[in-house]
């Protein structure tokens, strides 16, 4: 029979075992989905120098990932209109949980944790109603689904946590349905927006882009709460307006750049580590553009075939492409590494 003294000793011994951290997974700085030459898919961890720290198989093509703020866990999302996400132990490669979207829903490839890592928020499409939803999952108890709320728009894509603990959602405005694949069903009437919500889903602020065919897709957040927005033009490329913008809650909308030079398409967006610069990538035009984040002046126009992933580092910015290259956007840009991989759309920083 276990004595009280033995029971307490066991509790003390258990509490003495340190909880696993990202250091136990090789201390990666970034996560990215990729495809191998044989057509299979993986989730890859990279450090600041572009060195591979791990490579974990995925059952299908991934889009983006959400990194737990403390534990070495990553939620890898299938590409839209995927209906699953895999929670991976990045130390062992083991599957900790599988998230399945509710009936009548699919994921949009992105998610974000709350500040504690207790809750995961996912962007979803209620495709029968043509409404965006944000799913809530309990990361403390096997990632059980515990609720949802409105995204306050149609086609929510990326979602990010803000420094004050609230969320910002990129509502692309485009209605789709699995029966028609990735076909866009409402282009004449689409209304994209950027929505700020609290963790209960209450709308705190909302702003629409200047042009209703500029689909709000990708986000980056600066330490002061400023949000960078990357958009995708749903019209003739030669008519594309600026597709890069910055905004701060209850503030003005600032646009910069030339959407035509990006072939009407922003694939990813990121503030630099110090927040002074803002990079946008376009795999369709094979270019990375870097702006002064405050003035909007273009400071770098770098050609790189099939470039898309971009993230901040302590020294500035880093990008990945479909050729397997990892480059540092210094002056001049410099290749850090090359892999037998085709990197997918996003390079997710582990904070």
């Amino acid at each position: 029979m276990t004595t009280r003294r033995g029971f307490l000793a066991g509790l003390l011994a258990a509490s003495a075992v340190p909880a696993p951290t990202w250091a136990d997974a090789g201390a990666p700085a970034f996560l990215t989905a990729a495809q191998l030459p044989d057509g299979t898919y993986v989730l890859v961890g990279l450090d600041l120098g572009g060195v591979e720290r791990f490579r974990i198989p995925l059952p299908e093509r991934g889009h983006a990932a959400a990194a737990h703020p403390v534990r070495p866990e990553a939620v890898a999302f299938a590409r839209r209109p995927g209906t699953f996400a895999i929670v991976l132990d990045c130390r062992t490669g083991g599957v900790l949980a599988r998230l399945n979207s509710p009936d009548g829903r699919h994921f949009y490839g992105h998610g974000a944790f709350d500040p504690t890592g207790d809750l995961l928020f996912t962007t979803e499409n209620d495709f029968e109603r043509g409404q965006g939803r944000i799913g809530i999952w309990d990361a403390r108890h096997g990632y059980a689904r515990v609720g949802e709320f409105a995204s306050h728009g149609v086609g929510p894509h990326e979602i990010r946590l803000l420094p004050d603990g609230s969320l910002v959602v990129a509502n692309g405005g485009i209605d789709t349905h699995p029966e028609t694949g990735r076909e866009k069903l409402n282009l004449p009437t689409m209304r994209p927006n950027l929505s700020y919500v609290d963790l209960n889903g209450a709308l705190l602020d909302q702003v629409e882009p200047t042009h209703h065919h500029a689909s709000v897709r990708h986000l980056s957040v600066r330490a002061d709460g400023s949000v960078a927005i990357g958009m995708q033009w749903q019209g003739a490329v030669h008519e594309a307006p600026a597709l890069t913008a910055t905004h701060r809650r209850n503030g003005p909308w600032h646009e910069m750049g030339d959407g035509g030079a990006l072939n009407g398409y922003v694939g990813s967006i990121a503030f630099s580590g110090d927040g002074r610069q803002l990079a946008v990538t376009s795999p369709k035009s094979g270019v990375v553009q870097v702006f002064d984040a405050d003035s909007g002046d273009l400071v770098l126009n770098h050609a790189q075939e099939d470039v898309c992933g971009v993230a901040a580092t302590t020294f500035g910015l880093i990008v990945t492409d479909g050729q397997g290259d990892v480059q540092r956007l210094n002056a001049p840009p410099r290749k850090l590494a090359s892999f037998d991989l085709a990197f997918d759309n996003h390079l997710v920083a582990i904070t």
Side-chain angles (χ1 to χ4, degrees):
M1 182 179 295
T2 302
T3 65
R4 180 175 180 274
R5 180 177 296 176
F7 176 73
L8 292 175
L11 285 179
L12 289 172
S15 64
V17 177
T21 69
W22 281 102
D24 298 302
F30 310 105
L31 301 173
T32 179
Q35 184 180 33
L36 291 167
D38 65 3
T40 59
Y41 300 100
V42 291
L43 182 73
V44 180
L46 300 173
D47 71 9
L48 288 171
V51 175
E52 183 178 322
R53 292 303 184 185
F54 59 76
R55 184 181 295 195
I56 302 172
L58 294 175
E60 295 181 32
R61 180 180 174 182
H63 183 69
H68 193 279
V70 179
R71 300 194 301 266
E73 296 176 8
V75 185
F77 292 93
R79 184 171 181 257
R80 175 180 70 86
T83 58
F84 75 91
I86 303 293
V87 185
L88 298 168
D89 183 332
C90 294
R91 298 168 301 165
T92 65
V95 175
L96 299 175
R98 180 184 174 104
L99 281 59
N100 294 299
S101 60
D103 290 343
R105 308 286 176 82
H106 66 70
F107 293 124
Y108 273 103
H110 289 268
F113 284 94
D114 76 350
T116 65
D118 290 345
L119 297 175
L120 173 72
F121 297 87
T122 57
T123 51
E124 302 173 7
N125 182 20
D126 180 346
F127 50 79
E128 297 299 345
R129 295 179 174 84
Q131 298 174 357
R133 307 294 294 178
I134 304 299
I136 310 172
W137 310 77
D138 187 348
R140 299 162 299 183
H141 299 98
Y143 288 84
R145 188 178 180 90
V146 293
E148 63 178 57
F149 54 77
S151 76
H152 301 282
V154 174
H157 196 71
E158 190 157 12
I159 183 170
R160 297 293 296 266
L161 181 71
L162 291 167
D164 66 1
S166 62
L167 298 165
V168 60
V169 183
N171 283 302
I174 298 173
D175 187 19
T176 59
H177 195 287
E179 291 182 358
T180 52
R182 296 170 67 86
E183 182 181 350
K184 301 162 185 176
L185 304 176
N186 67 329
L187 291 184
T189 59
M190 60 178 286
R191 290 189 64 179
N193 71 59
L194 185 72
S195 292
Y196 298 81
V197 297
D198 66 21
L199 297 188
N200 295 310
L203 185 63
L204 305 173
D205 189 24
Q206 187 177 82
V207 61
E208 296 183 3
T210 304
H211 302 272
H212 82 100
H213 279 144
S215 180
V216 176
R217 295 294 182 89
H218 295 118
L219 306 173
S220 182
V221 175
R222 199 164 65 176
D224 65 355
S226 296
V227 179
I229 305 101
M231 294 168 277
Q232 296 173 5
W233 182 243
Q234 306 304 311
V237 171
H238 71 277
E239 297 177 346
L243 295 176
T244 306
T246 57
H247 184 262
R248 195 167 179 180
R249 185 175 151 193
N250 299 318
W253 177 272
H254 296 291
E255 295 179 348
M256 61 188 76
D258 175 6
L262 300 171
N263 205 18
Y265 187 96
V266 172
S268 292
I269 190 166
F271 282 111
S272 61
D274 60 10
R276 295 179 181 177
Q277 294 186 330
L278 174 61
V280 296
T281 64
S282 175
K284 290 191 174 183
S285 63
V287 69
V288 186
Q289 292 189 336
V290 181
F291 299 91
D292 181 290
D294 294 318
S295 71
D297 294 337
L298 182 66
V299 298
L300 176 68
N301 191 76
H302 171 61
Q304 186 172 339
E305 185 179 356
D306 201 19
V307 65
C308 201
V310 61
T313 70
T314 53
F315 49 75
L317 293 153
I318 189 171
V319 291
T320 54
D321 62 38
Q323 312 305 309
D325 291 338
V326 182
Q327 293 203 32
R328 179 183 292 181
L329 292 182
N330 288 35
R334 180 168 69 88
K335 186 182 293 187
L336 294 177
S338 293
F339 296 91
D340 61 337
L341 298 168
F343 289 115
D344 220 292
N345 293 58
H346 297 293
L347 188 64
V348 178
I350 298 172
T351 54

